[in-house]
């Protein structure tokens, strides 16, 4: 029915409608015309989540729910702050089992779209009100050598094997524990086998000629996140190395060493990231400056699958004083998450000496990392 002939107002409206449909619509206008207003996270949370997680996020009382599985306390900053939105969205979309959690946690894929789930996350983020806690997004993949700025709860076992020349197998068992919102303490226990007195055991194993087996220099450390926002974290830390190693055997330096440093973690666009660490090592009369930089990017295989993080790490150091040359190494590596919960990871890399390569061996390195706060070593596979 030709509307215009009967009702000029409706005719005009129809004409305007057709014209507006043909005109290119500015992006922002188009967005604002899309399904009403931005989703209201609180309303969606109340409708979909509060029956189990409680309106306040602490979990509904046991007599109001029909399952036994413990509910997380979403108001607990120590727990909530370290979980990145992306991980929680995956669990909310696909249900608990996608990350090795209980199947009582339902999948909301059909009920909520991505924008709505993000709005729910934004609402959940209001439960922890203490901004001192750095967000889990800043917990970037861990390089082989560079200390991260993010405070962590983890066990890391690193093994390095010299590829050529004198043999040396180094191991380091590292334990890190967070306390408070920004602090972390760590203890590292190096041990290994080296072929000569010249081969220190630890992260800096070098060349070596007569096999030595034993404990290296135990290291204790403290780290504190000084400032952070959603993209950057900057920390200060210091490590003390104790002369527990067998110096004769080339495992340890036989002296106390103090190693203060600054560390930066930066999120880059497109799942990229960047780490920087710079510091000094005070060993008796000598002082060595060191700097480490890492560029990497995380890829996920499959929508909810594992994370692959190729990284390129550059290590530099130089004795402070006249006539000393700087030493450089390049360490390409790949970190991969091993289990469904993604809290057990492997990193494999090769350390190529760029300077003094006659005296220093190429080294193969691997670590196994267990983020113990997220569950037992054998949970979530
Ligand atoms: C039927 C009850 C129920 C409902 C409804 C529910 N959850 Fe859960 N949720 C659980 C349980 C139980 C767990 C704990 C699973 C575990 O630890 O094994 C859980 C865990 C979670 C976790 C994982 C936390 C972690 O440990 O990392 C997130 C995130 C979450 N729920 C978000 C939501 C959101 C968002 C909604 C609403 C859109 C929702 N849940 C609705 C029961 C529920």
């Amino acid at each position: 029915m030709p509307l215009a002939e009967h009702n000029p107002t409706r005719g005009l409206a129809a004409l305007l409608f057709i014209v507006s449909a043909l005109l290119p619509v500015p992006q922002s206008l188009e967005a604002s015309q899309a399904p009403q207003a931005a989703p209201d996270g609180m309303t969606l949370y109340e409708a979909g989540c509060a029956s189990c997680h409680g309106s306040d996020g602490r979990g509904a009382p046991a007599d109001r729910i029909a399952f036994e599985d413990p509910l997380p306390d979403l108001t607990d900053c120590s727990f909530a702050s370290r979980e990145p939105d992306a991980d929680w969205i995956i669990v909310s979309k696909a249900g608990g089992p996608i990350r090795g959690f209980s199947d009582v946690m339902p999948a909301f894929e059909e009920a909520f779209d991505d924008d709505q789930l993000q709005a729910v996350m934004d609402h959940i983020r209001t439960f922890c009100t203490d901004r001192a806690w750095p967000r889990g997004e800043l917990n970037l993949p861990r390089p082989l050598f560079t200390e991260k700025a993010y405070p962590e709860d983890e066990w890391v076992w690193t093994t390095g094997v010299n590829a050529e020349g004198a043999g040396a197998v180094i191991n380091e068992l590292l334990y890190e524990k967070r306390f408070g919102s920004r602090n972390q303490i760590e203890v590292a226990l190096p041990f290994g086998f080296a072929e000569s007195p010249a081969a220190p055991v630890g992260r800096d194993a070098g060349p070596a000629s007569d096999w030595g087996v034993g404990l290296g220099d135990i290291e204790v450390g403290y780290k504190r996140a000084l400032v952070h926002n959603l993209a950057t974290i900057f920390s200060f830390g210091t490590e003390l190395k104790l002369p527990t190693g067998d110096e004769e055997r080339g495992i340890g330096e036989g002296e106390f060493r103090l190693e203060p440093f600054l560390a930066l973690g930066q999120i880059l666009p497109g799942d990229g990231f960047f780490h920087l660490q710079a510091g000094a090592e005070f060993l008796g009369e000598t002082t060595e400056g060191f700097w480490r930089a890492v560029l990497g990017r995380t890829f996920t295989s499959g929508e909810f699958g594992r994370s692959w993080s190729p990284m390129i790490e550059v290590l530099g150091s130089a004795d402070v004083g006249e006539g000393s040359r700087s030493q450089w190494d390049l360490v390409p590596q790949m970190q991969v998450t091993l289990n469904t919960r993604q809290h057990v990871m492997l990193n494999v890399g090769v350390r190529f000496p760029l300077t003094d390569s006659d005296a220093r061996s190429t080294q193969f390195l691997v670590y196994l990392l267990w983020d113990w706060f997220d569950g037992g070593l054998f949970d979530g596979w």
Side-chain angles (χ1 to χ4, degrees):
M1 183 178 74
L3 295 174
E5 283 166 28
H6 298 277
N7 183 332
T9 331
R10 282 169 75 188
L12 187 63
L15 186 69
L16 279 175
F17 177 77
I18 293 165
V19 170
S20 70
L22 293 174
L23 284 174
V25 181
Q27 204 66 40
S28 57
L29 196 64
E30 201 167 37
S32 70
Q33 284 175 348
Q36 305 113 33
D40 169 8
M42 189 199 281
T43 310
L44 296 171
Y45 178 88
E46 283 298 326
C49 325
S51 60
C52 293
H53 288 284
S55 288
D56 62 359
R58 290 174 199 274
D63 58 347
R64 301 256 304 275
I65 46 175
F67 52 85
E68 308 255 289
D69 303 52
L71 283 152
D73 179 357
L74 300 172
T75 66
D76 174 7
C77 296
S78 168
F79 155 71
S81 67
R82 64 178 87 208
E83 302 293 338
D85 273 5
D87 284 356
W88 274 3
I89 287 179
I90 284 168
V91 170
S92 306
K93 254 182 150 164
I98 196 80
R99 283 290 163 90
F101 293 114
S102 155
D103 59 5
V104 173
M105 168 61 205
F108 288 86
E109 217 156 4
E110 313 271 287
F112 294 155
D113 65 24
D114 288 1
D115 291 344
Q116 290 173 319
L117 279 176
Q118 185 59 57
V120 172
M121 293 307 137
D122 294 344
H123 178 62
I124 292 179
R125 292 293 170 200
T126 64
F127 295 149
C128 156
T129 49
D130 184 354
R131 297 287 153 236
W133 295 81
R135 283 278 297 272
E137 277 78 358
L138 296 164
N139 190 1
L140 303 166
R142 181 188 192 275
L144 284 162
F145 292 91
T146 306
E147 174 87 28
K148 284 163 56 170
Y150 192 86
E152 289 187 279
D153 284 321
E154 62 190 19
W155 280 101
V156 187
W157 180 316
T158 307
T159 296
V161 181
N162 279 1
E164 67 218 352
V169 180
I170 61 110
N171 296 280
E172 185 193 72
L173 188 59
L174 173 72
Y175 172 73
E176 295 184 330
K177 175 159 178 31
R178 286 178 77 160
F179 67 96
S181 52
R182 299 163 180 269
N183 309 292
Q184 176 209 289
I185 46 165
E186 68 174 52
V187 180
L189 193 80
F191 59 99
F193 325 96
E195 222 182 337
S196 113
V201 166
R203 293 184 183 173
D204 307 318
S209 61
D210 155 36
W211 283 91
V213 182
L215 181 69
D217 291 343
I218 295 176
E219 178 189 307
V220 290
Y222 167 75
K223 184 168 76 184
R224 179 175 171 83
L226 298 174
V227 283
H228 56 84
N229 58 24
L230 274 178
T232 311
I233 179 165
F234 182 65
S235 302
F236 159 82
T238 188
E239 288 173 5
L240 176 66
K241 290 180 179 157
L242 313 173
T244 51
D246 186 344
E247 198 191 351
E248 296 283 294
R249 290 261 174 215
I251 306 174
E253 302 269 350
E255 262 183 281
F256 282 99
R257 280 170 290 157
L258 194 66
E259 199 179 292
F261 65 86
L262 294 169
L264 175 91
Q266 176 66 45
I267 297 176
L268 301 175
D271 297 324
F273 57 88
F274 182 63
H275 298 281
L276 256 185
Q277 186 197 2
E281 184 181 82
F282 299 102
L283 169 72
E285 299 283 280
T286 54
T287 302
E288 186 193 77
F290 65 89
W291 51 94
R292 298 163 183 168
V294 183
L295 189 63
R297 184 170 171 196
T298 297
F299 299 86
T300 41
S301 57
E303 199 180 350
F304 305 125
R306 38 178 112 268
S307 299
W308 299 86
S309 304
M311 297 179 248
I312 183 88
E313 187 169 23
V314 180
L315 313 175
S317 66
D319 283 343
V320 177
E322 328 85 75
S324 86
R325 287 197 324 119
S326 52
Q327 298 269 22
W328 292 89
D329 294 73
L330 197 65
V331 194
Q333 58 202 271
M334 170 79 90
Q335 191 208 59
V336 57
T337 54
L338 295 181
N339 61 341
T340 322
R341 188 154 315 159
Q342 318 250 24
H343 73 304
V344 182
M345 301 158 214
L346 189 79
N347 187 347
V348 181
V350 188
R351 175 179 178 162
F352 296 105
L354 298 179
T355 50
D356 271 354
S357 47
D358 297 342
R360 299 190 304 136
S361 169
T362 298
Q363 196 183 26
F364 293 114
L365 290 133
V366 55
Y367 75 57
L368 186 70
L369 186 157
W370 166 32
D371 196 340
W372 54 264
F373 191 90
D374 278 359
L377 186 56
F378 302 105
D379 290 347
W381 286 80

